[in-house]
Amino acid sequence: MEKIRHCEAEGQSSHAQLTEKGVGQAAELAGFFGDMVINHIISSPYLRAIQSIERVAEREDIDIVVDDRLAERILSTEVLPDWLEKLKATFDDIDLKFDRGESSREAMHRIVSVVEDIFKSDSDNTLLVTHGNLMSLLLMNYLPDFGFEQWKSLSNPDVFLLKSANGEITIDRLWVG
């Protein structure tokens, strides 16, 4: 299963579109997956995630299945001028939660449940499209040393391959945008 972080977008709202650069990245991403067999695509409901993978879906004649569990994590519903410091704190304390936000543990549980559902299914070659913070929490679940600094090094887009064999999960980074 490939795990994809969306391409560059105009903002953080659920309706933010890809930038001109992001549209070009989506074309590159489609080329990257050109020789791969893809059976399923599951995406965050956010427009930027769907736009990042729709060329692949069209080429493969696959419907994009939207799964709300892949939506970006809500750090807080309040504007946080020091949001980066607050985000870092949630990597250090995964149960830390801000005003009407989601803790790292809660968000991690959400995305891990998607991955576990796929691993339990007969589905091969599934693409998951999500967001940087949520992707980093998935990686942290399987790679305990993955933290805030590694989150900062993620690119738009970014692609990781997750495989499950004999109860072992392996992760390889396939793309650095």
Side-chain angles (χ1 to χ4, degrees):
M1 153 188 6
E2 272 81 24
K3 183 82 176 79
I4 303 161
R5 181 184 189 189
H6 65 79
C7 301
E8 184 181 272
E10 293 176 347
Q12 295 299 311
S13 84
S14 61
H15 301 292
Q17 296 187 38
L18 296 182
T19 62
E20 186 176 323
K21 179 180 178 182
V23 170
Q25 291 169 334
E28 288 178 49
L29 201 55
F32 177 78
F33 288 113
D35 294 333
M36 296 181 192
V37 175
I38 299 164
N39 303 108
H40 297 89
I41 299 173
I42 305 171
S43 177
S44 159
Y46 286 27
L47 181 59
R48 61 187 178 269
I50 292 168
Q51 288 179 328
S52 293
I53 205 64
E54 62 191 356
R55 286 184 186 210
V56 175
E58 289 169 5
R59 184 188 67 230
E60 298 294 321
D61 195 27
I62 297 172
D63 290 333
I64 298 171
V65 176
V66 172
D67 191 321
D68 290 340
R69 295 176 294 174
L70 296 174
E72 182 60 288
R73 170 198 183 183
I74 303 295
L75 186 61
S76 172
T77 56
E78 301 297 317
V79 175
L80 301 173
D82 58 345
W83 69 270
L84 194 59
E85 291 172 29
K86 298 262 196 278
L87 181 64
K88 181 180 185 314
T90 67
F91 276 91
D92 297 334
D93 177 357
I94 66 170
D95 292 310
L96 180 61
K97 199 170 174 172
F98 297 103
D99 190 34
R100 292 189 303 266
E102 190 176 26
S103 73
S104 291
R105 185 180 309 276
E106 290 168 335
M108 182 186 294
H109 175 74
R110 185 163 48 88
I111 191 165
V112 168
S113 71
V114 177
V115 170
E116 288 176 354
D117 287 350
I118 292 168
F119 284 152
K120 289 176 190 172
S121 74
D122 293 331
S123 180
D124 290 330
N125 305 319
T126 299
L127 300 182
L128 291 182
V129 187
T130 192
H131 307 272
N133 189 215
L134 199 60
M135 176 185 275
S136 66
L137 294 171
L138 174 67
L139 295 170
M140 178 190 265
N141 182 72
Y142 298 113
L143 305 169
D145 290 339
F146 197 96
F148 180 74
E149 292 303 318
Q150 290 76 16
W151 166 79
K152 285 178 25 181
S153 73
L154 292 177
S155 61
N156 290 91
D158 215 330
V159 179
F160 288 83
L161 175 64
L162 279 72
K163 290 184 184 179
S164 177
N166 303 322
E168 294 286 322
I169 305 293
T170 58
I171 299 172
D172 293 305
R173 193 173 192 182
L174 302 181
W175 172 293
V176 180

